[in-house]
Amino acid sequence: EDGDKFDEEEKGVSTDTQTFMALCSCVPEDRATQSLLNKLIRCSLVNNTNQVEVLQRDPNSPLYSVKTFEELRLKPQLLQGVYGMGFNRPSKIQENALPMMLAEPPQNLIAQSQSGTGKTAAFVLAMLSHVDPANKWTQCLCISPTYELAVQTGKVVEQMGKFYPEVKLAYAIRGNRMERGNKIQQQVVIGTPGTVFDWLLKLKLMDPKKIRVFVLDEADVMIATQGHQDQSIRIQRILPRDCQMLLFSATFEDTVWKFAGRIVPDPNVIKLKREEETLDTIKQYYVLCHNKEDKFCALCNIYGVITIAQAMIFCHTRKIAAWLAGQMSKEGHQVALLSGEMTVEQRAAVIQRFREGKEKVLITTNVCARGIDVEQVSVVINFDLPLDKEGNPDNKTYLHRIGRTGRFGKRGLAINMVDGEYSMGVLKAIEKHFNKKIVKLDTDDLDEIEKIAN
Ligand SMILES: *[C@@H]1O[C@H](CO)[C@@H](O)[C@H](O)[C@H]1NC(C)=O
């Protein structure tokens, strides 16, 4: 009756791609080739199971994500181009990245994304959206680490811009010889750092002050090549302050991170979380109970700990959620209830209050919790363990739920209420699935409760 499931689960990476990626990663010394190979073998988007975490430059501004391309209010020519390329709906990274990239005033972005996540299409869309075709000068500049990668990106520009012929593209790559002095008319330039540097500074083919969007693609590959890092930084330096800076990288080692910080001031950040990483920063416990009243008592015992920060409590049905909220209120605890029968406005109001910290505890079901992104949530309580429609342990939903905590390296806490043999079996299955220990917690033992708080 409740249908409390994430309705749009992402599918796993296809086995072919996985195998291929595994093969590619055997040759780490040539990341540019690896990246290009990934691009070439891919004909459609890879739907990965990674969760995305978004860190906004201004945490108070609302977090927009889109589920359709129409919501982005693209120019019709571009929307036509998007559909023409076979994109039906935004990929995971596009859902979050596109609203930021297309915002006015422009926002800067550092995003982690692998090939196949729709990254190139996203930044190409951002470039094409910000071009004024009436102006016959370069307005968007994209640098890629190699000739071949630049050509690949160019192809996406050509496809995406198929119905927008007023916008022209030039390749700043080796072999494309140009005369000094005459400004080029193409609004979009894609190239490698060396040639772009020459076009800008030696040959003066473009006016850096007129660049409105600067994209640095494959930053991890970029810094692996001698000289590219310096050239990139020198290019970035001569661009105007209000130029939108976008940087992408498949990985984020310290070196990449440092480089990204020099290229992109005041960035929004989008990172992918891997399952293993997600769970590494989360302490997981379970509490053994007999029934729901017992679970409620356990909850009251740990209430002090969970309300140090903010907590979300997940119940299996609306009915249990409502019952629990009632019991908690009777105890004098101030809790918020987010329930399926509320109108959108009511839900928005509840979420907003929770965001502002007016309530420390939010009781909800899966379906309602979707899309709620509250930075301060550091405790998740599974009042009921997640089950799929057939009543089997729902590993993915478990990860979705507790993955809200422990973000950006902060430590999170997950507490699972178990009642009876069946739910113990579910817990064991989840434990096995993620291969991470879920430790027993005695909620009558004050010392133990203290311990989990630290
Ligand atoms: C969750 O993982 C366990 C252990 O790997 C497995 O037995 C169970 O079938 C999984 N549940 C689902 C719904 O896939």
Side-chain angles (χ1 to χ4, degrees):
E1 29 108 30
D2 231 351
D4 279 353
K5 280 277 295 146
F6 289 95
D7 49 352
E8 288 167 82
E9 305 281 34
E10 282 132 273
K11 286 170 203 70
V13 177
S14 80
T15 319
D16 278 358
T17 317
Q18 265 174 347
T19 316
F20 194 86
M21 284 176 173
L23 286 174
C24 289
S25 55
C26 298
V27 279
E29 69 274 13
D30 191 357
R31 293 169 91 163
T33 308
Q34 185 186 325
S35 180
L36 182 65
L37 281 170
N38 282 338
K39 277 206 167 85
L40 296 177
I41 53 152
R42 196 192 74 227
C43 45
S44 63
L45 282 186
V46 179
N47 276 319
N48 59 40
T49 52
N50 288 325
Q51 291 193 72
V52 172
E53 62 178 333
V54 181
L55 186 62
Q56 287 181 285
R57 182 176 56 85
D58 175 7
N60 295 319
S61 79
L63 185 72
Y64 292 111
S65 72
V66 290
K67 296 286 178 211
T68 65
F69 287 110
E70 278 80 6
E71 289 170 69
L72 294 165
R73 300 173 194 282
L74 299 167
K75 293 194 176 85
Q77 307 94 308
L78 291 177
L79 193 59
Q80 217 180 333
V82 168
Y83 288 137
M85 289 180 75
F87 295 114
N88 295 317
R89 62 178 204 100
S91 69
K92 195 78 200 164
I93 196 125
Q94 290 172 345
E95 283 181 6
N96 294 293
L98 280 172
M100 285 178 183
M101 290 161 76
L102 299 177
E104 279 301 337
Q107 300 194 15
N108 291 347
L109 177 70
I110 293 175
Q112 178 180 28
S113 82
Q114 273 102 2
S115 182
T117 53
K119 162 201 71 166
T120 309
F123 72 69
V124 165
L125 206 48
M127 291 199 292
L128 292 177
S129 296
H130 285 121
V131 162
D132 182 346
N135 293 335
K136 307 292 179 207
W137 59 72
T138 305
Q139 300 157 46
C140 302
L141 185 59
C142 169
I143 56 175
S144 288
T146 68
Y147 177 102
E148 292 78 10
L149 289 167
V151 169
Q152 287 302 314
T153 303
K155 282 190 183 154
V156 177
V157 175
E158 284 166 21
Q159 284 177 289
M160 189 81 85
K162 196 170 157 196
F163 304 96
Y164 201 12
E166 311 92 285
V167 178
K168 306 280 188 227
L169 165 70
Y171 290 96
I173 48 185
R174 87 181 114 79
N176 202 354
R177 297 203 178 284
M178 305 293 276
E179 295 295 326
R180 177 188 299 271
N182 282 341
K183 294 273 185 286
I184 57 170
Q185 299 200 345
Q186 286 90 340
Q187 293 95 340
V188 180
V189 169
I190 296 176
T192 48
T195 309
V196 167
F197 186 78
D198 288 351
W199 282 27
L200 272 170
L201 286 135
K202 280 203 199 135
L203 303 174
K204 305 208 183 298
L205 303 174
M206 306 179 268
D207 180 354
K209 294 287 166 250
K210 289 184 174 166
I211 307 281
R212 299 168 64 188
V213 183
F214 175 59
V215 180
L216 191 147
D217 195 16
E218 318 234 8
D220 49 346
V221 182
M222 197 73 97
I223 63 169
T225 308
Q226 274 253 306
H228 275 6
Q229 184 161 343
D230 275 355
Q231 281 163 334
S232 303
I233 290 167
R234 288 170 72 185
I235 292 168
Q236 193 270 354
R237 290 257 168 83
I238 57 169
L239 300 176
R241 260 165 183 265
D242 60 353
C243 171
Q244 182 178 32
M245 313 273 175
L246 308 168
L247 179 142
F248 299 87
S249 186
T251 60
F252 268 108
E253 305 91 273
D254 284 350
T255 47
V256 179
W257 198 241
K258 250 170 85 183
F259 173 61
R262 297 183 69 182
I263 296 287
V264 186
D266 303 324
N268 296 292
V269 178
I270 295 181
K271 281 183 80 174
L272 298 179
K273 279 207 289 192
R274 287 181 302 142
E275 287 190 359
E276 315 86 76
E277 282 176 16
T278 306
L279 293 179
D280 275 347
T281 53
I282 302 170
K283 291 192 283 185
Q284 301 179 75
Y285 294 94
Y286 75 92
V287 184
L288 209 49
C289 307
H290 299 293
N291 49 36
K292 70 175 194 294
E293 286 76 18
D294 209 19
K295 289 182 182 177
F296 167 65
C297 284
L299 196 52
C300 290
N301 287 348
I302 54 172
Y303 190 80
V305 168
I306 67 172
T307 49
I308 288 173
Q310 280 186 291
M312 284 178 78
I313 303 179
F314 287 91
C315 299
H316 194 55
T317 62
R318 292 177 198 171
K319 221 169 110 190
I320 297 178
W323 173 83
L324 181 61
Q327 295 296 109
M328 300 282 282
S329 300
K330 271 190 222 158
E331 281 292 304
H333 300 311
Q334 212 183 343
V335 296
L337 174 65
L338 192 64
S339 182
E341 67 268 8
M342 293 175 166
T343 65
V344 177
E345 290 78 17
Q346 286 170 326
R347 289 190 205 190
V350 170
I351 295 167
Q352 191 53 34
R353 286 178 58 84
F354 183 61
R355 264 223 173 99
E356 288 164 4
K358 295 209 170 92
E359 278 99 16
K360 293 251 180 167
V361 175
L362 181 70
I363 301 175
T364 186
T365 54
N366 279 331
V367 81
C368 293
R370 227 198 135 169
I372 303 182
D373 205 60
V374 179
E375 264 291 300
Q376 315 87 295
V377 174
S378 62
V379 181
V380 164
I381 302 209
N382 287 315
F383 194 79
D384 299 303
L385 287 166
L387 300 174
D388 66 9
K389 287 206 170 72
E390 284 80 46
N392 297 316
D394 190 343
N395 307 307
K396 191 175 261 184
T397 299
Y398 181 81
L399 184 70
H400 270 284
R401 285 184 182 179
I402 78 169
R404 292 163 195 283
T405 73
R407 303 179 338 155
F408 296 103
K410 281 188 220 153
R411 301 239 285 178
L413 184 60
I415 299 174
N416 299 290
M417 305 282 180
V418 172
D419 59 346
E421 235 168 81
Y422 189 77
S423 100
M424 195 63 205
V426 172
L427 186 91
K428 288 290 165 206
I430 289 171
E431 189 173 45
K432 179 165 159 240
H433 182 83
F434 294 107
N435 194 24
K436 288 265 152 49
K437 190 116 186 85
I438 305 180
V439 181
K440 188 174 175 190
L441 176 72
D442 180 358
T443 52
D444 292 324
D445 184 340
L446 284 177
D447 286 345
E448 255 195 77
I449 297 173
E450 290 275 303
K451 251 190 285 171
I452 64 166
N454 300 313

PDB file of all heavy atoms in Angstrom, residues 388 392-395 429 432-433, ligand 1:
ATOM      1  N   ASP A 388      12.434  -5.016   0.151  1.00  0.00           N
ATOM      2  CA  ASP A 388      11.869  -4.734  -1.173  1.00  0.00           C
ATOM      3  C   ASP A 388      10.432  -5.252  -1.232  1.00  0.00           C
ATOM      4  O   ASP A 388       9.900  -5.734  -0.225  1.00  0.00           O
ATOM      5  CB  ASP A 388      12.753  -5.292  -2.292  1.00  0.00           C
ATOM      6  CG  ASP A 388      12.817  -6.812  -2.287  1.00  0.00           C
ATOM      7  OD1 ASP A 388      12.044  -7.434  -1.532  1.00  0.00           O
ATOM      8  OD2 ASP A 388      13.641  -7.369  -3.028  1.00  0.00           O
ATOM      9  N   ASN A 392      12.297  -9.030   0.701  1.00  0.00           N
ATOM     10  CA  ASN A 392      13.714  -9.389   0.843  1.00  0.00           C
ATOM     11  C   ASN A 392      14.530  -8.194   1.316  1.00  0.00           C
ATOM     12  O   ASN A 392      14.123  -7.049   1.114  1.00  0.00           O
ATOM     13  CB  ASN A 392      14.273  -9.851  -0.509  1.00  0.00           C
ATOM     14  CG  ASN A 392      13.567 -11.098  -0.992  1.00  0.00           C
ATOM     15  OD1 ASN A 392      13.334 -12.035  -0.222  1.00  0.00           O
ATOM     16  ND2 ASN A 392      13.182 -11.091  -2.266  1.00  0.00           N
ATOM     17  N   PRO A 393      15.692  -8.478   1.920  1.00  0.00           N
ATOM     18  CA  PRO A 393      16.559  -7.378   2.354  1.00  0.00           C
ATOM     19  C   PRO A 393      16.892  -6.454   1.193  1.00  0.00           C
ATOM     20  O   PRO A 393      17.336  -6.916   0.150  1.00  0.00           O
ATOM     21  CB  PRO A 393      17.834  -8.086   2.844  1.00  0.00           C
ATOM     22  CG  PRO A 393      17.622  -9.547   2.681  1.00  0.00           C
ATOM     23  CD  PRO A 393      16.237  -9.794   2.229  1.00  0.00           C
ATOM     24  N   ASP A 394      16.656  -5.193   1.371  1.00  0.00           N
ATOM     25  CA  ASP A 394      16.876  -4.239   0.288  1.00  0.00           C
ATOM     26  C   ASP A 394      18.188  -3.481   0.523  1.00  0.00           C
ATOM     27  O   ASP A 394      18.226  -2.425   1.131  1.00  0.00           O
ATOM     28  CB  ASP A 394      15.678  -3.284   0.225  1.00  0.00           C
ATOM     29  CG  ASP A 394      15.713  -2.420  -1.016  1.00  0.00           C
ATOM     30  OD1 ASP A 394      16.780  -2.325  -1.636  1.00  0.00           O
ATOM     31  OD2 ASP A 394      14.674  -1.839  -1.343  1.00  0.00           O
ATOM     32  N   ASN A 395      19.247  -4.091  -0.002  1.00  0.00           N
ATOM     33  CA  ASN A 395      20.587  -3.560   0.249  1.00  0.00           C
ATOM     34  C   ASN A 395      20.768  -2.139  -0.283  1.00  0.00           C
ATOM     35  O   ASN A 395      21.401  -1.295   0.337  1.00  0.00           O
ATOM     36  CB  ASN A 395      21.627  -4.467  -0.402  1.00  0.00           C
ATOM     37  CG  ASN A 395      21.444  -5.914   0.032  1.00  0.00           C
ATOM     38  OD1 ASN A 395      21.398  -6.204   1.215  1.00  0.00           O
ATOM     39  ND2 ASN A 395      21.321  -6.820  -0.935  1.00  0.00           N
ATOM     40  N   ALA A 429      21.903 -10.332   6.249  1.00  0.00           N
ATOM     41  CA  ALA A 429      22.058 -10.270   4.789  1.00  0.00           C
ATOM     42  C   ALA A 429      22.702  -8.951   4.372  1.00  0.00           C
ATOM     43  O   ALA A 429      23.601  -8.916   3.523  1.00  0.00           O
ATOM     44  CB  ALA A 429      20.703 -10.444   4.107  1.00  0.00           C
ATOM     45  N   LYS A 432      26.313  -8.963   5.289  1.00  0.00           N
ATOM     46  CA  LYS A 432      27.062  -9.800   4.353  1.00  0.00           C
ATOM     47  C   LYS A 432      27.233  -9.074   3.019  1.00  0.00           C
ATOM     48  O   LYS A 432      28.303  -9.071   2.423  1.00  0.00           O
ATOM     49  CB  LYS A 432      26.308 -11.124   4.160  1.00  0.00           C
ATOM     50  CG  LYS A 432      26.964 -12.079   3.205  1.00  0.00           C
ATOM     51  CD  LYS A 432      26.373 -13.493   3.339  1.00  0.00           C
ATOM     52  CE  LYS A 432      26.649 -14.283   2.072  1.00  0.00           C
ATOM     53  NZ  LYS A 432      25.423 -14.740   1.404  1.00  0.00           N
ATOM     54  N   HIS A 433      26.168  -8.466   2.584  1.00  0.00           N
ATOM     55  CA  HIS A 433      26.204  -7.795   1.284  1.00  0.00           C
ATOM     56  C   HIS A 433      27.300  -6.732   1.215  1.00  0.00           C
ATOM     57  O   HIS A 433      28.026  -6.632   0.237  1.00  0.00           O
ATOM     58  CB  HIS A 433      24.851  -7.165   0.981  1.00  0.00           C
ATOM     59  CG  HIS A 433      24.797  -6.495  -0.350  1.00  0.00           C
ATOM     60  ND1 HIS A 433      24.562  -7.188  -1.518  1.00  0.00           N
ATOM     61  CD2 HIS A 433      25.012  -5.204  -0.713  1.00  0.00           C
ATOM     62  CE1 HIS A 433      24.616  -6.346  -2.530  1.00  0.00           C
ATOM     63  NE2 HIS A 433      24.879  -5.144  -2.076  1.00  0.00           N
TER      64      HIS A 433
HETATM   65  C1  LIG B   1      21.070  -8.297  -0.362  1.00  0.00           C
HETATM   66  O1  LIG B   1      22.293  -8.941  -0.111  1.00  0.00           O
HETATM   67  C2  LIG B   1      22.182 -10.246   0.408  1.00  0.00           C
HETATM   68  C3  LIG B   1      23.561 -10.747   0.730  1.00  0.00           C
HETATM   69  O2  LIG B   1      24.429 -10.584  -0.361  1.00  0.00           O
HETATM   70  C4  LIG B   1      21.415 -11.148  -0.569  1.00  0.00           C
HETATM   71  O3  LIG B   1      21.255 -12.419  -0.026  1.00  0.00           O
HETATM   72  C5  LIG B   1      20.080 -10.521  -0.887  1.00  0.00           C
HETATM   73  O4  LIG B   1      19.412 -11.281  -1.870  1.00  0.00           O
HETATM   74  C6  LIG B   1      20.255  -9.096  -1.370  1.00  0.00           C
HETATM   75  N1  LIG B   1      18.946  -8.512  -1.563  1.00  0.00           N
HETATM   76  C7  LIG B   1      18.493  -8.135  -2.734  1.00  0.00           C
HETATM   77  C8  LIG B   1      17.097  -7.624  -2.772  1.00  0.00           C
HETATM   78  O5  LIG B   1      19.141  -8.174  -3.745  1.00  0.00           O
END
